[in-house]
Amino acid sequence: MTNAPDMMTDIDRLLALGHSHVEVLASDMAGNHFGKRYPAEHLRDFARNGVSMPRSMFVLTQVGGSIDEYTGMGLDDGDPDIAMGLVPGEISVVHYGRKPRLQALITSTADTDMPDPRRILKRVLSQYQAKGLTPITALELEFTLFDQATTKAGTLGPARDPMTGRSELHGMLNVDRLDGYEAFVEEVLANCDAQGIDTTAICSEFGNSQFEINFTHYEDPLKAADKAQLYKRTVKAVARKHGFLASFMAKPDLQLPSNGQHIHVSVVDEAGANIFSNGDTHTDTLMHAIAGLQAGAKDAMLCWAPNINSYRRFEPGFCVPTGPTWAYDHRHIAFRIPPGTGQAWRIENRLAGADANCYLSLAATLAAMLVGIDRKLTPSAETKGAPPLDYESLPLTIRDAIAAMRDGSVIKSILGADFIELYASYREGELDAFEGVITPRELDWYL
């Protein structure tokens, strides 16, 4: 178990603050956190001996339901515990509850524990490390605020500007829109700072009450995903305190822009040089990586668009990709090459939705890129203009995405066949559970 001296020093420092409880938590495959709260003094024991959690927690549905018949976990196997340990550097204080408490991120301690999404990303990174390569990553996550009172009533009402009391109009990058939500934004940023989540740009997006807070580029993709997952939880918790409901749902309203997760990646060698850079131009390796993303897009779509609602996002006209396209500085395509020189050369994957589990969306992105680099694949021609929906090259329903993941061979070679089958079965089980309910609209239309 992890018992590094610096971790114990960090724990002693945090315990000296006098907070009564610590919350230990991990991310499941749906992207939600699960865990338990303990008296704070348990942290020392967790650092030395770890903590156990039921293995099935990783494969429950979005609403916590068991789908054992699809995953084989939780019923016939007796729902065993797995060993988990503290993630170094991820013990902090959060202030968005009724009172401050300690928070510790945990992860499975065995490489064979594939239900842990963090382990899947670690599996991908080990293959980069074996080649002397390190991905540098940054994520951008859009979210939408709604009025909490109306959502409790079963409808979606747009958030009202706390300063004016009025619902907002669209206003891309309108700095005045940030003024009314300043108290909310400042509390999010303060909690991010307390958790070591390094934020950069803050902006209003195109949709009503839609915002984006960006993160720094991390030299450790595990850390980038850790921080992004904790950020999503932080935004939701702070929003509740301010009378809002924050949603990272891909398409919460058909009339409004969707919420994307944009994944920026460059790769450095052992000398720290960006293998995508030739100074003022990019290398052939960058194009190989894009070709890998194109080749693996069908297989990876289920990691980037994991839910039924995810596929409502794909429509022309809202800066959302409609096929596995690439181009220079073009926000309507999937794999964008942003303007840059030197170390700034990178690829932006714009296919993923904000609802996607950040560990898995990043793992699938890096896996496809590595395949392209290893095989020296060649991409298609650059896309010009705004492309139409491409049903041939992308699975644009969740059932098609499940089938594409099972049938594909590109990212399977990196993520592992065991994970591919488990994840496809998991999403299939969640889909069947969702469809096992008669909706109010069905009753309205067909009763």
Side-chain angles (χ1 to χ4, degrees), residues 266-334:
S266 58
V267 180
V268 299
D269 60 20
E270 291 177 305
N274 185 350
I275 67 172
F276 292 163
S277 173
N278 262 338
D280 290 340
T281 62
H282 61 71
T283 62
D284 289 342
T285 305
L286 183 146
M287 301 310 296
H288 297 326
I290 284 182
L293 286 165
Q294 289 186 307
K298 277 189 175 181
D299 308 22
M301 194 65 169
L302 195 60
C303 290
W304 298 331
N307 306 306
I308 291 175
N309 178 262
S310 304
Y311 295 86
R312 293 186 178 274
R313 175 171 166 259
F314 296 102
E315 57 181 335
F318 281 110
C319 291
V320 177
T322 51
T325 50
W326 78 271
Y328 294 96
D329 198 18
H330 189 329
R331 286 184 168 84
H332 292 272
I333 55 84

Side-chain angles (χ1 to χ4, degrees), residues 90-345:
E90 290 301 334
I91 308 171
S92 58
V93 182
V94 293
H95 301 271
Y96 50 65
R98 187 177 60 83
K99 60 180 181 180
R101 63 175 180 271
L102 302 182
Q103 171 185 272
L105 201 62
I106 57 175
T107 188
S108 59
T109 57
D111 288 336
T112 55
D113 288 334
M114 63 170 177
D116 184 348
R118 197 176 190 275
R119 276 282 164 193
I120 301 306
L121 177 55
K122 192 171 183 179
R123 176 186 288 185
V124 176
L125 295 177
S126 69
Q127 298 187 54
Y128 274 84
Q129 291 160 4
K131 301 174 186 297
L133 300 175
T134 301
I136 309 297
T137 56
L139 289 87
E140 301 170 351
L141 292 164
E142 297 165 332
F143 64 91
T144 304
L145 293 178
F146 294 97
D147 179 27
Q148 194 176 97
T150 57
T151 56
K152 286 181 179 178
T155 59
L156 279 178
R160 296 182 179 275
D161 185 318
M163 185 177 292
T164 65
R166 299 175 60 186
S167 297
E168 292 186 315
L169 299 176
H170 301 298
M172 182 71 174
L173 302 185
N174 185 330
V175 292
D176 293 337
R177 291 175 63 197
L178 292 172
D179 293 341
Y181 295 89
E182 192 166 5
F184 161 73
V185 171
E186 286 184 349
E187 187 166 354
V188 168
L189 295 180
N191 274 278
C192 285
D193 185 61
Q195 296 171 81
I197 303 171
D198 298 325
T199 58
T200 57
I202 306 161
C203 69
S204 63
E205 283 290 337
F206 183 63
N208 296 38
S209 306
Q210 186 185 36
F211 300 94
E212 180 180 278
I213 300 176
N214 295 341
F215 313 122
T216 188
H217 288 250
Y218 283 92
E219 296 181 2
D220 180 358
L222 279 171
K223 189 70 66 178
D226 288 339
K227 300 303 187 183
Q229 287 291 110
L230 291 172
Y231 162 82
K232 290 168 78 170
R233 186 168 189 255
T234 298
V235 168
K236 290 179 179 180
V238 174
R240 288 194 295 269
K241 288 183 64 177
H242 289 259
F244 306 128
L245 184 146
S247 177
F248 290 89
M249 193 173 175
K251 192 71 171 178
D253 189 315
L254 289 174
Q255 308 308 314
L256 297 179
S258 57
N259 291 317
Q261 176 184 149
H262 303 149
I263 304 169
H264 293 255
V265 183
S266 58
V267 180
V268 299
D269 60 20
E270 291 177 305
N274 185 350
I275 67 172
F276 292 163
S277 173
N278 262 338
D280 290 340
T281 62
H282 61 71
T283 62
D284 289 342
T285 305
L286 183 146
M287 301 310 296
H288 297 326
I290 284 182
L293 286 165
Q294 289 186 307
K298 277 189 175 181
D299 308 22
M301 194 65 169
L302 195 60
C303 290
W304 298 331
N307 306 306
I308 291 175
N309 178 262
S310 304
Y311 295 86
R312 293 186 178 274
R313 175 171 166 259
F314 296 102
E315 57 181 335
F318 281 110
C319 291
V320 177
T322 51
T325 50
W326 78 271
Y328 294 96
D329 198 18
H330 189 329
R331 286 184 168 84
H332 292 272
I333 55 84
F335 311 120
R336 172 178 175 253
I337 303 177
T341 59
Q343 292 293 93
W345 284 109

